[in-house]
Amino acid sequence: MSIKLVAIDIDGTLLNSQHEITPEVYQAIQDAKKAGVKIVIATGRPISGVKRILTELNLLDEGDYVITFNGGLVQETATGKDVFKEGLSYADYLELEYLARTLKLPMHASTKEAIFTANRNIGKYTLYESQLVDAPVFYRTPEEMADKDIIKVMLVDEAEKLDAAIPQIPTAITQRFTVAKSAPFYLEVTPKTVNKGEAIQQLSTLLGISIEQTMAIGDQENDRSMLEAAGVAVVMENGSPELKKIATHITKSNDESGVAHAIREWVLS
């Protein structure tokens, strides 16, 4: 079957290590869109962290869509209309905030508009995330979070600290939530029913596209669900070794325009 929808992760996939879209990737995406292929950015970032990329790639037309917050939000890019949204309850937030304190890890919660942390000394990776996704960050006590529309929570720290803490996360948490690393220093938590794979399936159904006619391109564990859901799973050469085990294809690295190679080799050829 020909591929009609391509879902592409951003960091470590679409962007090179200088956080740029290479000319080769840009042109391959334009050629795919001209050929009638739906190009869908699928990221853990909020919409504020994707707008520049959508503009640069000409993905703001009617009929264009974007998946953000690891599948917690699917929107029409031209109008900003929510097609699908599912977030965390205040009770969920309190449970995860307690977990973060127990594990001694900095944590922040993301809404469509901003990032909130209960860490009075705001962690460096929370500040990094704020700059990366162009979203303001605010200190708020847990009590002040009751009225916030939280879409995801992130535990953030040095890679070795996160890796040491992950085995200590209670089974009750991993059974109730989707917990996945999106970078060595990011551990993202969303509702159990929220992930990139579910978002791709819902979007492909909405568009009348068979899931077998979809391709996903990613590099980290938070991409696993969409790689498993898509008809064709493409993992970057710079991707996780464990993720490569489930790949249909392994493309070039993000510094070698691997997304362009994947589109030209397995979509446009």
Side-chain angles (χ1 to χ4, degrees):
M1 283 188 178
S2 61
I3 298 298
K4 294 186 176 180
L5 184 152
V6 180
I8 309 171
D9 172 55
I10 292 181
D11 298 297
T13 302
L14 177 73
L15 305 182
N16 64 17
S17 54
Q18 283 73 49
H19 303 289
E20 300 167 335
I21 297 170
T22 68
E24 292 81 8
V25 168
Y26 169 84
Q27 194 56 55
I29 287 175
Q30 302 314 303
D31 291 346
K33 185 175 179 180
K34 187 176 180 180
V37 178
K38 290 283 184 185
I39 300 295
V40 179
I41 300 303
T43 179
R45 295 186 184 195
I47 189 65
S48 61
V50 189
K51 286 181 178 178
R52 176 188 64 81
I53 291 168
L54 296 175
T55 300
E56 187 173 343
L57 291 175
N58 300 315
L59 296 177
L60 292 171
D61 296 331
E62 184 177 352
D64 285 332
Y65 295 85
V66 63
I67 296 169
T68 54
F69 293 106
N70 280 327
L73 182 63
V74 181
Q75 292 176 293
E76 294 178 353
T77 62
T79 64
K81 177 184 175 182
D82 295 351
V83 175
F84 170 83
K85 181 165 78 75
E86 183 177 354
L88 297 163
S89 68
Y90 180 52
D92 292 335
Y93 165 79
L94 291 177
E95 185 175 3
L96 295 168
E97 197 276 331
Y98 176 75
L99 172 69
R101 282 189 285 118
T102 301
L103 297 176
K104 295 181 171 57
L105 294 175
M107 188 198 91
H108 60 253
S110 296
T111 69
K112 288 172 68 174
E113 295 80 22
I115 295 170
F116 298 91
T117 180
N119 303 122
R120 188 178 297 276
N121 296 320
I122 300 175
K124 71 175 184 179
Y125 288 116
T126 293
L127 292 172
Y128 175 77
E129 174 73 358
S130 171
Q131 295 168 353
L132 182 69
V133 304
D134 193 26
V137 58
F138 301 103
Y139 165 75
R140 294 289 185 274
T141 65
E143 293 74 21
E144 294 175 305
M145 293 296 292
D147 62 343
K148 299 293 185 287
D149 191 7
I150 300 167
I151 302 180
K152 74 170 181 179
V153 155
M154 297 176 69
L155 280 65
V156 296
D157 210 333
E158 304 297 340
E160 59 272 16
K161 291 184 180 179
L162 273 187
D163 290 340
I166 288 172
Q168 300 177 50
I169 297 175
T171 304
I173 294 289
T174 56
Q175 287 179 340
R176 289 187 50 235
F177 301 97
T178 295
V179 182
K181 289 187 79 172
S182 59
F185 41 82
Y186 284 163
L187 186 67
E188 309 208 9
V189 186
T190 55
K192 194 66 176 180
T193 52
V194 167
N195 55 64
K196 293 182 181 182
E198 286 288 334
I200 288 172
Q201 292 190 64
Q202 293 201 33
L203 185 55
S204 62
T205 298
L206 175 71
L207 296 173
I209 296 172
S210 165
I211 197 67
E212 287 76 21
Q213 294 176 296
T214 66
M215 184 169 86
I217 313 175
D219 73 309
Q220 290 292 333
E221 279 300 316
N222 68 320
D223 299 317
R224 178 178 290 273
S225 61
M226 73 171 181
L227 292 165
E228 291 177 335
V232 177
V234 178
V235 176
M236 306 296 290
E237 177 57 42
N238 55 285
S240 156
E242 287 301 309
L243 218 53
K244 290 177 182 178
K245 295 177 182 178
I246 66 167
T248 310
H249 305 291
I250 296 174
T251 188
K252 297 178 181 180
S253 75
N254 60 328
D255 284 329
E256 298 172 300
S257 302
V259 166
H261 177 77
I263 289 173
R264 297 209 178 278
E265 190 73 16
W266 301 302
V267 179
L268 295 178
S269 56

